[in-house]
Amino acid sequence: MTVVEHQGQTDAPRPAPPPHWRPRTDPVPLLPDAEPYRLLGVAAAPAKPGARRTKASAKKSPAAAADPALLRRLYAELVRGRRYNAQATALTRQGRLAVYPSTTGQEAAEIAAALVLQDQDWLFPSYRDTLAVVARGVDPLETLTLLRGDKHTGYDPHATRVAPLSTPLATHLPHAVGLAHAARLRGDDVVALAMCGDGGTSEGDFHEALNFAAVWQAPVVFLVQNNGYAISVPLDKQTAAPSLAHKAVGYGMPGRLVDGNDVLALHEVLGEAVLRARTGGGPTLVEAVTYRLDAHTNADDATRYREAEEVEVWRAHDPVRLLERELLALGILDEDAIDAERERAEEFAAGLRARLNADADPHPEELFAHVYATPTPHLAEQAEQLRAEREAEAEGAAHDDAATHDDERESGR
Amino acid sequence: MTTATTVTSTPTTGAPKPTTMAAALNRALRDALTEDPAVHVLGEDVGTLGGVFRITDGLAAEFGDQRCLDTPLAEAGILGAAVGMAMYGLRPVVEMQFDAFAYPAFEQVVSHVAKMRNRTGGRLPLPLTIRIPYGGGIGGVEHHSDSSEIYYMATPGLHVVTPATVADAYGLLRAAIASDDPVVLMEPKRLYWSKADWSPENPEPVEPLGRAVVRRPGRSATLLTYGPSLPVCLEAAEAAVAEGWDLEVVDLRSLVPFDDETVAASVRRTGRAVVVHEAQGFAGPGGEIAARVTERCFHHLEAPVLRVTGFDIPFPPPMLERHHLPGVDRILDAVARLQWEAER
Ligand SMILES: Cc1ncc(C[n+]2csc(CCOP(=O)(O)OP(=O)(O)O)c2C)c(N)n1
């Protein structure tokens, strides 16, 4: 007997899938939207830049449904954030900060990240995210010690629930997962929100952190600020994925794509992700599509890798102006309120400037103080050596001083 | 000395009986998990399987799959997550499956584990232990026999310790877990199945990390060694008796902190020293040790400090490893080169 089996025509039962094969989740709900999610500026856009929107179109704004107090708070934080960026950038020119990676243009994502967290939650910032740290309530001076160069981490991570600013890209993301996992083991209501840039998503630690978080269902939110460039390298040389939010799907977590200049949309999407984590729903990856208007840092020449026209397009989609226009149209803000907010931001900058203009005076003994709980014998020896050197130096200086005084006396002054 | 971590023994019952180093390490983990709920073991295959060397055997069954946690296969992720756990007050004990497979986590070791206390002005100490089975002599294929201790020794902020005896395996692992600083515990995998009469009911008092110990007193010369090379040195010392040489053998146990005092006292007594280890000689641990000995004992030295080490090659295929690993003959040759016939 010859049986000719034609594909698809046999009644023989299909072999059962191997036991470890499981269609865990329909990927479709995990996939991000095709377009970045937006709330601001979606009501009938003004005909010309700067034109006032009509009352009728303003009524359709989703912002109209938001709590006006929240909107004012977001606006105040954005204005202050913009000023903070400008001040810190100016301080690098004066040599008061060694370097400053500005978030001008990215303020919305920074502010939203800080504001969606509760007190007990933890923020895991990258080196660029000083503004998020300040918006969380950490003393801006302590936030800037890393960039000023007097201390690595100025603030107390436990007291502020803010991890040190991470310089090696994406390496802090697994820390957020571990901390969130530990908190859940302890039965504590703690969510960790971890931030990185578009370039950081190419690092192995990014992949490992997302995978761990999803497998452990850890209460973590990953916020990627896609500002278009990793120093000079544009996104299309960084990844072939349709969006960075798409990366979530492969790990089994939802990816959300948001307009990163729309502080209200970010607040909503990040807020949902934090709630999801808090209520046992596991991690979420949020991609905020934004733009860095300044150069990578003050040491970078952005004209080498991007066109001025591109910058102008994004300048027109400025996160501060975006909310401001909406709130003016809604009547939640008027010009006086805007002036008052700018005034407050100015005072904040003046205070920061004054404090940073005071010289930092890190003590050399700090060098050995925090390498180990108790210095090893050879560190103790080295500390002693430095102490002796400094003593000799001080004695030398006193001797020189005395000599100068003698000279002065001799010359009859 | 440093990181004073004295661990009290666990009183139970029973007489000393032949015990492997693997069993002593297992016992140390079990006792630590029992005594402190903050202790968590994590790594690849540490749960149901009990680790590829069975060091974590039975722990998941006894303490649950969260206290002894099978992780996804990703060393940087494992160690990075352990950093976060330690930030939250847990005491993670990470198992790296083999020496050469810890390298993907090296970025976490150097940039975060070793530096977190320092970066945060002492406010975020990381009490975590990294267990790394290391070294050759078990016929492993490539990437299973590296002596990677120098990478960790060269990284300020880490403690690096390595047991050579069953009792020390227990004691050093307990002390490592109790330490408020990160400790890299290099476990000599070829000694995992070495046995000694040992009773966990009476562990020898566990000393603070950072103490070397004289394993065999002698007068002619000092062999400075640790981990897998200790039994080789003890064997060499016995063989040397026939030559009329009375060798002292010092087991360093702790590479960071380094016990200059015990080492210098020994070399001053004997006037001669040979450093013996499996790792490569060039830019290897022996260079640092020889320099420290020379700085402290120059006027007591009758000969230069010599090194007997593995060759400066990637670890060889198993059929050739016996040529690479320092053995008794090579040690005795070095001792002969210390030239005391001329002196005595
Ligand atoms: C592991 C690592 N590699 C390289 C660098 C040097 N570096 C600093 S910032 C940067 C670009 C990062 O780009 P992205 O992740 O997009 O973040 P952004 O700076 O745009 O916020 C690079 C390559 C680094 N800090 N860490």
Side-chain angles (χ1 to χ4, degrees):
Chain A
M1 190 173 64
T2 326
V3 180
V4 181
E5 282 191 16
H6 294 285
Q7 232 187 344
Q9 290 185 0
T10 173
D11 289 335
R14 283 158 186 258
H20 58 264
W21 185 87
R22 42 186 182 169
R24 287 276 296 258
T25 318
D26 176 3
V28 173
L30 301 180
L31 274 167
D33 298 337
E35 292 281 317
Y37 181 66
R38 288 184 75 177
L39 290 174
L40 295 178
V42 295
K48 273 185 275 171
R52 289 296 292 266
R53 196 176 295 145
T54 62
K55 266 260 150 59
S57 67
K59 280 217 182 76
K60 286 183 215 138
S61 160
D67 174 9
L70 170 69
L71 292 168
R72 274 190 223 104
R73 168 93 199 276
L74 290 172
Y75 180 72
E77 291 285 352
L78 285 180
V79 170
R80 190 172 73 132
R82 174 62 51 90
R83 188 66 189 84
Y84 169 84
N85 273 317
Q87 185 58 64
T89 303
L91 286 162
T92 57
R93 298 207 189 96
Q94 297 153 23
R96 283 289 170 185
L97 295 179
V99 64
Y100 182 69
S102 164
T103 44
T104 301
Q106 301 181 215
E107 290 93 342
E110 297 280 311
I111 299 302
L115 265 54
V116 292
L117 295 179
Q118 297 182 2
D119 258 9
Q120 77 277 14
D121 296 335
W122 275 69
L123 181 72
F124 283 77
S126 81
Y127 60 92
R128 191 178 296 286
D129 302 317
T130 45
L131 178 53
V133 177
V134 170
R136 175 131 173 96
V138 178
D139 181 343
L141 190 75
E142 290 183 352
T143 306
L144 287 170
T145 56
L146 173 76
L147 304 170
R148 163 150 89 162
D150 53 321
K151 285 179 196 162
H152 294 313
T153 301
Y155 49 86
D156 180 343
H158 281 297
T160 57
R161 263 87 60 216
V162 177
L165 297 156
S166 184
T167 304
L169 299 171
T171 52
H172 57 307
L173 306 181
H175 305 174
V177 178
L179 182 132
H181 179 68
R184 212 174 42 152
L185 286 178
R186 287 251 164 111
D188 297 345
D189 167 25
V190 170
V191 173
L193 188 151
M195 307 173 75
C196 74
D198 42 296
T201 66
S202 299
E203 292 279 0
D205 283 83
F206 173 83
H207 163 81
E208 297 188 20
L210 265 70
N211 191 48
F212 272 62
V215 171
W216 290 354
Q217 287 291 287
V220 185
V221 177
F222 299 99
L223 170 59
V224 176
Q225 290 182 72
N226 170 6
N227 64 9
Y229 293 86
I231 307 188
S232 66
V233 178
L235 189 69
D236 61 358
K237 285 192 186 163
Q238 197 67 246
T239 180
S243 80
L244 297 172
H246 273 77
K247 292 183 182 250
V249 183
Y251 303 106
M253 74 173 79
R256 298 295 310 272
L257 187 61
V258 198
D259 183 331
N261 287 16
D262 180 338
V263 74
L264 193 60
L266 281 159
H267 191 268
E268 181 184 311
V269 168
L270 287 171
E272 280 170 10
V274 167
L275 184 66
R276 192 181 130 80
R278 202 181 295 293
T279 52
T284 305
L285 172 64
V286 178
E287 173 186 357
V289 184
T290 182
Y291 196 76
R292 122 171 104 64
L293 290 171
D294 287 343
H296 171 67
T297 67
N298 51 302
D300 169 44
D301 174 7
T303 62
R304 281 175 158 253
Y305 54 83
R306 65 187 194 187
E307 304 292 335
E309 296 83 71
E310 178 185 295
V311 184
E312 286 320 307
V313 170
W314 280 94
R315 220 180 274 287
H317 189 56
D318 181 293
V320 189
R321 288 291 299 157
L322 197 61
L323 182 64
E324 193 174 281
R325 277 203 295 269
E326 197 95 3
L327 298 192
L328 279 170
L330 287 171
I332 292 175
L333 278 184
D334 58 19
E335 296 295 344
D336 286 348
I338 290 173
D339 286 346
E341 216 50 79
R342 293 200 179 132
E343 195 64 34
R344 270 195 282 275
E346 209 50 55
E347 280 165 30
F348 166 80
L352 180 60
R353 192 165 58 233
R355 292 173 72 200
L356 276 162
N357 277 330
D359 287 328
D361 190 17
H363 201 277
E365 267 163 29
E366 285 284 302
L367 286 177
F368 304 101
H370 306 297
V371 184
Y372 299 98
T374 314
T376 57
H378 84 262
L379 274 188
E381 271 173 37
Q382 290 171 9
E384 179 52 33
Q385 177 195 339
L386 180 67
R387 202 196 52 74
E389 280 172 15
R390 293 182 61 239
E391 214 170 79
E393 204 175 276
E395 261 169 39
H399 188 264
D400 289 351
D401 252 16
T404 319
H405 286 308
D406 288 350
D407 288 353
E408 283 169 0
R409 237 173 277 130
E410 271 165 35
S411 65
R413 271 192 272 160
Chain B
M1 206 181 261
T2 63
T3 43
T5 39
T6 322
V7 176
T8 50
S9 61
T10 324
T12 35
T13 54
K17 58 171 192 280
T19 307
T20 61
M21 179 181 279
L25 290 165
N26 179 274
R27 178 65 192 232
L29 291 172
R30 176 168 297 145
D31 288 351
L33 284 159
T34 304
E35 283 171 26
D36 184 354
V39 174
H40 283 67
V41 173
L42 65 159
E44 294 159 10
D45 305 297
V46 296
T48 310
L49 182 67
V52 294
F53 294 106
R54 304 292 183 272
I55 307 299
T56 57
D57 199 17
L59 300 181
E62 190 173 339
F63 298 96
D65 63 3
Q66 287 302 319
R67 299 288 305 285
C68 182
L69 175 62
D70 269 331
T71 62
L73 211 169
E75 292 74 16
I78 295 167
L79 192 53
V83 168
M85 291 164 76
M87 284 168 81
Y88 204 74
L90 301 187
R91 287 187 177 267
V93 183
V94 170
E95 175 171 305
M96 291 289 164
Q97 204 157 64
F98 281 89
D99 34 58
F101 306 136
Y103 300 141
F106 202 60
E107 152 90 64
Q108 287 290 340
V109 174
V110 174
S111 294
H112 294 296
V113 174
K115 290 180 181 160
M116 193 66 88
R117 174 187 285 280
N118 189 255
R119 291 170 66 209
T120 59
R123 288 181 285 218
L124 269 191
L126 292 183
L128 66 85
T129 302
I130 308 173
R131 297 182 32 241
I132 305 180
Y134 82 118
I138 62 160
V141 296
E142 59 170 0
H143 301 112
H144 288 78
S145 300
D146 285 15
S147 292
S148 44
E149 62 269 29
I150 192 78
Y151 302 129
Y152 306 105
M153 291 169 69
T155 303
L158 302 175
H159 292 305
V160 185
V161 298
T162 174
T165 67
V166 172
D168 272 2
Y170 179 89
L172 288 176
L173 180 49
R174 293 301 310 274
I177 296 171
S179 167
D180 286 333
D181 283 318
V183 179
V184 180
L185 184 80
M186 305 294 300
E187 298 176 0
K189 64 173 96 73
R190 76 162 122 142
L191 298 185
Y192 272 153
W193 303 282
S194 65
K195 280 189 185 162
D197 279 345
W198 181 71
S199 119
E201 291 70 36
N202 266 323
E204 279 165 35
V206 176
E207 299 195 51
L209 299 176
R211 297 243 172 100
V213 61
V214 177
R215 293 285 180 205
R216 182 192 191 281
R219 290 178 304 104
S220 313
T222 300
L223 301 181
L224 297 168
T225 192
Y226 56 87
S229 295
L230 176 68
V232 188
C233 285
L234 288 172
E235 196 186 329
E238 287 315 310
V241 173
E243 311 280 337
W245 302 332
D246 179 19
L247 299 182
E248 180 147 311
V249 179
V250 174
D251 176 2
L252 298 170
R253 296 202 288 202
S254 175
L255 299 170
V256 183
F258 189 80
D259 186 352
D260 287 301
E261 282 166 40
T262 302
V263 168
S266 171
V267 177
R268 283 178 188 161
R269 268 195 308 274
T270 62
R272 296 176 168 85
V274 181
V275 189
V276 183
H277 59 62
E278 270 185 43
Q280 83 288 354
F282 185 81
E288 174 63 29
I289 295 166
R292 299 184 80 80
V293 168
T294 308
E295 282 170 1
R296 280 171 179 74
C297 311
F298 185 71
H299 296 292
H300 298 78
L301 284 173
E302 314 264 357
V305 181
L306 298 182
R307 286 169 287 170
V308 176
T309 69
F311 295 131
D312 301 330
I313 58 172
F315 199 87
M319 291 170 74
L320 294 172
E321 70 177 343
R322 69 191 171 84
H323 300 293
H324 167 72
L325 296 171
V328 169
D329 289 344
R330 221 171 267 164
I331 295 169
L332 293 178
D333 285 350
V335 171
R337 277 170 53 213
L338 292 172
Q339 297 170 325
W340 52 59
E341 295 92 329
E343 310 278 336
R344 305 221 160 172

